[in-house]
Amino acid sequence: MATTPRAAIRCCAVASIFVFLLLIQPSFSIYCDEDDCYDLLGVTQSANSSEIKKSYYKLSLKHHPDKNPDPESKKLFVKIANAYEILKDETTRGQYDYAIAHPEEAFYNMARYYQAYYGHKTDPRAVLVGLLVVLSAFQYLNQWTRYNQALDMVKKSPAYKNRLRALELERSGGVTNKKKSNKQTNKKVDDDLSKELDLQIKGAEKPSIWDLLGIRFILLPYTIAKLLLWHGGWVWRYQIKKAPYSWEDASYLTQRSLGVPHESWRYMDEPRKDDLIERRLWEKSNMDSYVAEMRKESKRRR
């Protein structure tokens, strides 16, 4: 009778699992290699902590390298010390006993072992600091990459070249050198002049260390304190004393009412910004009128 493809696949899978289980060691062997931790200390699995400790001290004195120069005795001393480290702690001993009783749960037992032996050895504060440093480094490099790419695109635009040429004419008194032999010199002059131009590239600003995640985390207590102080001052000035809004605070209210991102509001034309602020859009009636006006203007343009 011919074997069906599905049956063949099932047989291969079972055979693969069987071979895998034969090749790997039992999960409890990761604790004391091929030895039994209890046998190394000469105690039974039901021994209490006092018996384990007593047996360890007795064996360690016998096999300590200072007491016994035999190389094999030194290797045995290392195994005994490792077995004692496992069995003296109730948590790791319980995990070892569980691994002995449930050898079929290989991956689960291995995960518990590595978590117990390597998880607690790492200071969470060091992990947090390392993570912040790595993330900040990637963030800084990414910002510089985006900024340089945007800068290269801007420098290739006709508007930038016109601004650069105008600045060169202003510096040279209206005289430019067009000789090809001075191409390298002109490039240096262009680089020097480009540094004088204030290039504000929306969405790809020049990187600053104050914007890095790590720096912001360090300054988090200061930021929270500053925010609470600002909020308290806001309540005192505008809700208790009923003072008129300053231009900066009115600008903040307008930006928040419109839902405009900070960077977009920052690069908005000043006349347009002043007009929006004068409308007092943080008041519902004014905002409704503004929305209706924008809708009417949108329909008219269609």
Side-chain angles (χ1 to χ4, degrees), residues 29-186:
S29 67
I30 60 177
Y31 288 87
C32 294
D33 294 329
E34 69 278 1
D35 301 304
D36 184 284
C37 295
Y38 291 104
D39 290 344
L40 285 171
L41 293 178
V43 297
T44 62
Q45 193 170 351
S46 60
N48 57 37
S49 58
S50 178
E51 292 172 339
I52 292 174
K53 187 175 183 180
K54 183 178 179 181
S55 179
Y56 165 69
Y57 284 144
K58 182 180 178 180
L59 292 171
S60 63
L61 289 175
K62 179 181 178 180
H63 297 285
H64 195 280
D66 294 339
K67 302 288 184 179
N68 194 334
D70 185 6
E72 294 299 325
S73 184
K74 181 180 179 180
K75 294 179 181 179
L76 183 57
F77 173 77
V78 173
K79 293 183 177 181
I80 291 170
N82 178 59
Y84 178 67
E85 288 295 321
I86 292 170
L87 298 182
K88 75 174 183 178
D89 184 83
E90 293 296 330
T91 302
T92 54
R93 181 181 179 182
Q95 293 176 356
Y96 178 63
D97 291 341
Y98 184 89
I100 294 176
H102 302 85
E104 72 282 356
E105 300 182 17
F107 296 107
Y108 174 70
N109 293 327
M110 289 180 183
R112 295 179 73 191
Y113 169 80
Y114 289 116
Q115 181 182 11
Y117 273 83
Y118 298 102
H120 72 282
K121 294 181 181 180
T122 305
D123 191 342
R125 293 171 295 182
V127 174
L128 178 61
V129 171
L131 182 62
L132 288 175
V133 170
V134 172
L135 290 177
S136 298
F138 276 111
Q139 181 185 5
Y140 194 67
L141 291 175
N142 179 59
Q143 289 178 352
W144 266 112
T145 301
R146 289 177 55 197
Y147 177 73
N148 289 329
Q149 289 176 348
L151 203 62
D152 291 339
M153 292 180 64
V154 169
K155 287 184 176 181
K156 293 177 182 178
S157 64
Y160 171 80
K161 293 179 180 179
N162 292 335
R163 288 180 59 190
L164 192 64
R165 196 57 54 201
L167 183 61
E168 182 182 3
L169 291 172
E170 180 182 344
R171 291 278 300 275
S172 62
V175 179
T176 58
N177 193 344
K178 297 183 179 180
K179 293 182 179 180
K180 293 183 179 180
S181 58
N182 294 329
K183 185 176 181 180
Q184 187 175 2
T185 305
N186 290 340

